[in-house]
Amino acid sequence: MYDIKLNKTVVQNHIRYDWWKYVLLVIFTILIWNGVTSYKINKAIPQDERMEVFLVGDYIYEDNTEEISIKIMESMEGLQKLDFIGIPMNPFEYQQRQMQGLTQEEPREEDQFMLDPQTDMAGQQKLMVMIGSQSGDIFIFEEDMYKLYAEQGAFMDIADYIKNMDPSLIDIEDLEDLKVASEEDETAKQYGLPADSIKAFEGTGYNVEGKVISIMAYSKKPDKAWAVMKWLLEGNK
């Protein structure tokens, strides 16, 4: 069982203000929601036949992802439920600038398009709760956040899976850029792949440019998670 440690650096980078006043409410709400929905799902669909993919960053229109789920499930056996779940959150670089007060002292034109603090905070809290409760099989992050969590041991090494992938879909330089050494393993490993080739999210509001897709280290069904990840990376729509 993998234990992802959210150390002081992660917390400082992702949680601002008086986070403790809100996090208990967020956790309670999510646990209640998960408990009710999971109870209904568990009665009909086995754990190893359902999967969650979290899209971190941009808002997504989840109604538009239902068709993607159906297409993926039709293309493979042993998968009865596939959910794409959005976690809206401001870019990591903006969060750091905001912590330093630079978004007010040195505002940039693109800052006007950032999420309001309450929505951003709710997204940060939800992300920590989801990972802390070992929810989700696949996550898509911006590169900076991917590397931060990779260092904490959040993701599975996918080097062996990549060997069976179409070489034309892989850029060696991109692979090297995404290798990360974790706190428990000084050897840099391949924990993610560029999500830029994904076409399925067109029209959902989610921008894959500069994002990285990874399988969580705690996933109980890595082979199926890879099958879904590969389907997306191959540019299927």
Side-chain angles (χ1 to χ4, degrees), residues 35-47 50 80:
V36 173
T37 55
S38 295
Y39 174 75
K40 296 178 179 179
I41 293 171
N42 283 337
K43 294 182 67 176
I45 303 176
Q47 171 70 27
R50 48 194 170 90
Q80 296 188 49

Side-chain angles (χ1 to χ4, degrees), residues 21 90 232:
K21 295 180 180 179
N90 283 328
L232 292 169

Side-chain angles (χ1 to χ4, degrees), residues 4 9 12 14-15 21 27 42 45-46 60 62 70 74 77 86 125 127 132-133 144 156 162 198 208 212 229 234:
I4 299 169
T9 301
Q12 287 178 335
H14 289 282
I15 297 296
K21 295 180 180 179
I27 292 174
N42 283 337
I45 303 176
I60 66 167
E62 294 187 7
I70 293 172
E74 289 177 345
E77 297 181 356
Q125 293 172 349
L127 175 62
S133 63
D144 287 343
M156 181 183 75
I162 296 175
I198 296 176
V208 297
V212 182
M229 183 171 164
E234 287 177 344

Side-chain angles (χ1 to χ4, degrees):
M1 182 69 69
Y2 288 85
D3 181 19
I4 299 169
K5 300 177 180 178
L6 299 176
N7 62 22
K8 183 178 179 180
T9 301
V10 176
V11 174
Q12 287 178 335
N13 283 327
H14 289 282
I15 297 296
R16 302 185 302 274
Y17 317 121
D18 295 326
W19 64 272
W20 56 272
K21 295 180 180 179
Y22 310 100
V23 71
L24 291 179
L25 178 61
V26 173
I27 292 174
F28 179 77
T29 302
I30 291 174
L31 290 178
I32 292 296
W33 181 83
N34 282 345
V36 173
T37 55
S38 295
Y39 174 75
K40 296 178 179 179
I41 293 171
N42 283 337
K43 294 182 67 176
I45 303 176
Q47 171 70 27
D48 64 351
E49 294 189 11
R50 48 194 170 90
M51 186 174 299
E52 293 176 329
V53 180
F54 283 92
L55 312 179
V56 182
D58 309 296
Y59 272 114
I60 66 167
Y61 305 110
E62 294 187 7
D63 290 344
N64 294 357
T65 64
E66 292 181 7
E67 185 176 349
I68 305 171
S69 299
I70 293 172
K71 289 180 178 179
I72 294 177
M73 288 187 291
E74 289 177 345
S75 71
M76 60 187 68
E77 297 181 356
L79 193 59
Q80 296 188 49
K81 184 172 178 59
L82 174 61
D83 293 318
F84 290 94
I85 303 169
I87 301 182
M89 184 187 301
N90 283 328
F92 181 57
E93 184 270 343
Y94 178 83
Q95 293 176 8
Q96 290 183 310
R97 292 182 63 246
Q98 193 171 36
M99 289 176 63
Q100 298 168 7
L102 298 179
T103 55
Q104 295 180 347
E105 296 176 5
E106 302 175 15
R108 302 181 305 190
E109 183 176 353
E110 57 266 34
D111 290 351
Q112 63 182 306
F113 301 108
M114 295 297 108
L115 300 174
D116 64 82
Q118 291 76 19
T119 302
D120 182 41
M121 174 62 65
Q124 293 181 40
Q125 293 172 349
K126 182 176 180 179
L127 175 62
M128 293 190 70
V129 171
M130 291 296 95
I131 293 181
S133 63
Q134 299 193 349
S135 300
D137 298 278
I138 297 172
F139 274 72
I140 302 182
F141 289 100
E142 59 175 308
E143 185 173 335
D144 287 343
M145 194 172 295
Y146 151 78
K147 289 182 176 179
L148 180 66
Y149 277 98
E151 290 172 356
Q152 301 300 312
F155 309 123
M156 181 183 75
D157 182 5
I158 56 175
D160 289 340
Y161 287 107
I162 296 175
K163 296 176 183 177
N164 299 320
M165 198 171 178
D166 184 347
S168 66
L169 299 175
I170 302 174
D171 187 304
I172 300 300
E173 291 186 5
D174 288 342
L175 293 184
E176 290 298 320
D177 288 343
L178 295 181
K179 285 186 176 180
V180 179
S182 69
E183 291 185 349
E184 297 183 358
D185 189 344
E186 296 181 357
T187 303
K189 294 183 178 180
Q190 198 74 52
Y191 295 112
L193 289 174
D196 303 68
S197 65
I198 296 176
K199 306 295 183 184
F201 300 134
E202 293 177 358
T204 67
Y206 192 75
N207 182 10
V208 297
E209 185 177 355
K211 302 285 200 316
V212 182
I213 184 169
S214 304
I215 299 173
M216 302 309 291
Y218 52 69
S219 175
K220 302 295 192 301
K221 38 192 177 294
D223 290 346
K224 288 182 181 178
W226 170 252
V228 172
M229 183 171 164
K230 185 171 180 288
W231 189 96
L232 292 169
L233 290 170
E234 287 177 344
N236 293 297
K237 297 178 63 176

